[in-house]
Amino acid sequence: MEMINAIGRRKASIARVYLTKGEGKIVINGKGLKEYFPQIHIQDKVVEPFKTVEAENIYDLKVNVKGGGFKGQAEAVRMAVSRALVKLNEEFRSPLKSKKYLTRDSRVVERKKYGKPKARKSFQFSKR
């Protein structure tokens, strides 16, 4: 098996994943998974696709991720890992698709409008 790469996006984050045969080592931007994402619930987001297709500790991951915050980055990595697993084996598509790991979540922050303090918030209205 050669190296399989895939791209995942979420909010302002872009993740490039390189999947190879190995013993389950995950390296994100040159750091280990637990070092890069210290929160356990964020670590789980990255590993969820492997748990879904029961392929834990079989593949090594090398990830380059940039932009956004830690949650957006973790979900971008999750999408990229899911896409890489589908490239590897087409039978993984249905369980991953049912959990919506292959769908791009396109929700982003709404832009601020002029004359308002935030996107929709208004200053207090005074009739008189």
Side-chain angles (χ1 to χ4, degrees):
M1 181 194 125
E2 72 286 345
M3 188 178 285
I4 294 172
N5 64 328
I7 293 176
R9 294 180 184 92
R10 171 76 171 103
K11 291 187 179 181
S13 303
I14 300 169
R16 288 191 304 274
V17 164
Y18 302 96
L19 191 77
T20 54
K21 201 88 164 160
E23 64 273 348
K25 203 165 61 179
I26 299 173
V27 178
I28 303 172
N29 290 351
K31 297 179 181 177
L33 174 66
K34 289 182 169 70
E35 189 182 349
Y36 194 81
F37 292 126
Q39 296 95 337
I40 293 160
H41 66 281
I42 299 294
Q43 291 172 16
D44 291 342
K45 280 191 188 300
V46 175
V47 186
E48 276 172 354
F50 291 120
K51 290 180 180 172
T52 304
V53 297
E54 284 126 26
E56 298 165 279
N57 303 327
I58 300 173
Y59 303 107
D60 284 349
L61 272 182
K62 184 179 176 290
V63 183
N64 293 328
V65 64
K66 63 178 183 178
F70 57 88
K71 187 166 191 272
Q73 285 188 351
E75 292 183 9
V77 171
R78 180 178 69 186
M79 182 185 188
V81 169
S82 300
R83 284 180 167 177
L85 286 170
V86 169
K87 278 185 185 177
L88 182 72
N89 187 350
E90 197 62 37
E91 293 172 9
F92 293 158
R93 178 176 285 280
S94 59
L96 291 170
K97 196 174 173 94
S98 67
K99 289 201 171 184
K100 297 197 170 102
Y101 294 159
L102 298 172
T103 308
R104 162 77 155 103
D105 191 350
S106 60
R107 296 175 295 167
V108 291
V109 178
E110 190 175 341
R111 80 172 200 88
K112 184 195 173 297
K113 316 312 188 290
Y114 59 87
K116 295 193 175 248
K118 289 168 67 175
R120 297 187 182 203
K121 187 176 183 178
S122 298
F123 296 109
Q124 186 173 338
F125 180 72
S126 172
K127 202 178 254 188
R128 282 174 202 85

